[in-house]
Amino acid sequence: MLHLFYVKSEGDSEDDLKRQGSFRKLLPVNSNGDSQLSTAVKMIDRPNTSQNIWFGVQFIRQGIYQGGVFRFTITLPQNFPDGKCPNVVFQTKVFHPLINYTTGELNTAWGFPEWKRSNRIWQLVQYISKIFTKLDTKMISVNDEALLLLETDFENFKEQAKKCVKDSLSVVYDPPATDDPHYITFSPYDSELHDPVKQEIYKPKDDNENKPTGYSWVQPGSLQPFSKPEAR
């Protein structure tokens, strides 16, 4: 599930929105009509002096990294949308050919050999998602050990991937590494707090709630507008 938020702080101008890219238009539909909201990412921007830093959390729903919860940041260049590709750094340790295991930096050159002004942040978000489900031995590696295992010992590679998934889950509830109020945090399930909401969601609906409301000028069984006779 994907959740996107845009936080506009006091003093933000339209120029700021253009420079950052509007979150309201971040994820258009695919060419096949499907929504980009199937991408498993949650993002929020950072206002004021560090508007160019966006926090993200990647929830992996399929593939050998399934179950992983990987934190990352996207840092836009000061002259965005001009300049080089935004920098992506994972805070969670990830064993992947395109991710430097020591620094956490993602090799964006594999997806964007040249960042163009026409490129959009949603494309970068989509790229971040795809690297976990579509592995390619031809990718430009920044983790040679991961690439070697991917090519020669896939079972061992899967074990390493599962290990980083397990490690990511062990730190999900850790306190923030920053005092930034927009850092994405999670808390364990609280029965007292969450059970009432859960019960309300699953509560059977009253039949009256499903009945159509308002007036209709369509005769039952017909699709023709204004086919229903007027009441005399």
Side-chain angles (χ1 to χ4, degrees):
M1 181 179 295
L2 169 67
H3 302 280
L4 289 173
F5 302 89
Y6 173 70
V7 178
K8 183 177 180 182
S9 58
E10 293 184 7
D12 282 351
S13 66
E14 290 303 315
D15 288 339
D16 289 330
L17 295 181
K18 291 178 182 178
R19 179 166 58 82
Q20 297 177 49
S22 173
F23 275 44
R24 289 165 294 183
K25 298 181 179 179
L26 187 59
L27 295 178
V29 295
N30 286 320
S31 57
N32 59 8
D34 294 335
S35 172
Q36 292 284 348
L37 295 181
S38 59
T39 309
V41 181
K42 179 176 180 179
M43 295 186 63
I44 189 167
D45 82 323
R46 186 174 180 177
N48 299 327
T49 58
S50 299
Q51 295 183 45
N52 288 28
I53 299 179
W54 296 358
F55 295 112
V57 179
Q58 178 82 50
F59 300 91
I60 311 300
R61 304 302 189 191
Q62 58 183 329
I64 62 175
Y65 293 93
Q66 183 175 359
V69 181
F70 303 134
R71 294 182 179 277
F72 65 91
T73 58
I74 295 179
T75 303
L76 309 183
Q78 291 298 322
N79 59 342
F80 183 82
D82 297 314
K84 62 181 182 179
C85 180
N87 182 251
V88 180
V89 177
F90 283 84
Q91 280 71 55
T92 312
K93 290 288 186 181
V94 184
F95 188 78
H96 190 288
L98 289 176
I99 301 174
N100 186 304
Y101 192 75
T102 303
T103 66
E105 184 172 356
L106 171 66
N107 181 12
T108 55
W110 175 246
F112 302 92
E114 178 186 0
W115 182 263
K116 301 177 181 179
R117 187 180 177 86
S118 59
N119 287 126
R120 298 291 182 264
I121 296 299
W122 69 262
Q123 295 170 319
L124 181 59
V125 172
Q126 188 179 62
Y127 171 69
I128 295 171
S129 298
K130 283 185 176 180
I131 67 167
F132 291 104
T133 56
K134 296 185 178 181
L135 297 169
D136 189 340
T137 56
K138 297 180 181 179
M139 62 183 66
I140 305 173
S141 173
V142 291
N143 184 334
D144 293 338
E145 180 186 359
L147 182 62
L148 180 63
L149 289 181
L150 178 63
E151 292 176 328
T152 62
D153 191 349
F154 189 64
E155 289 303 315
N156 194 354
F157 179 85
K158 287 198 297 184
E159 288 302 315
Q160 293 295 327
K162 290 179 181 178
K163 181 180 182 302
C164 71
V165 167
K166 183 178 180 180
D167 291 344
S168 75
L169 296 177
S170 69
V171 296
V172 166
Y173 303 123
D174 281 5
T178 173
D179 59 359
D180 192 299
H182 298 97
Y183 184 85
I184 302 168
T185 60
F186 303 98
S187 58
Y189 189 89
D190 184 338
S191 298
E192 184 177 349
L193 177 64
H194 298 120
D195 278 354
V197 178
K198 184 177 179 180
Q199 292 170 6
E200 186 65 25
I201 292 174
Y202 287 102
K203 184 177 68 175
K205 293 186 178 296
D206 191 329
D207 289 339
N208 291 327
E209 294 183 27
N210 297 321
K211 291 184 178 180
T213 58
Y215 296 99
S216 174
W217 287 270
V218 179
Q219 181 72 14
S222 172
L223 298 178
Q224 181 180 349
F226 303 106
S227 58
K228 187 175 182 179
E230 293 185 17
R232 299 295 182 181

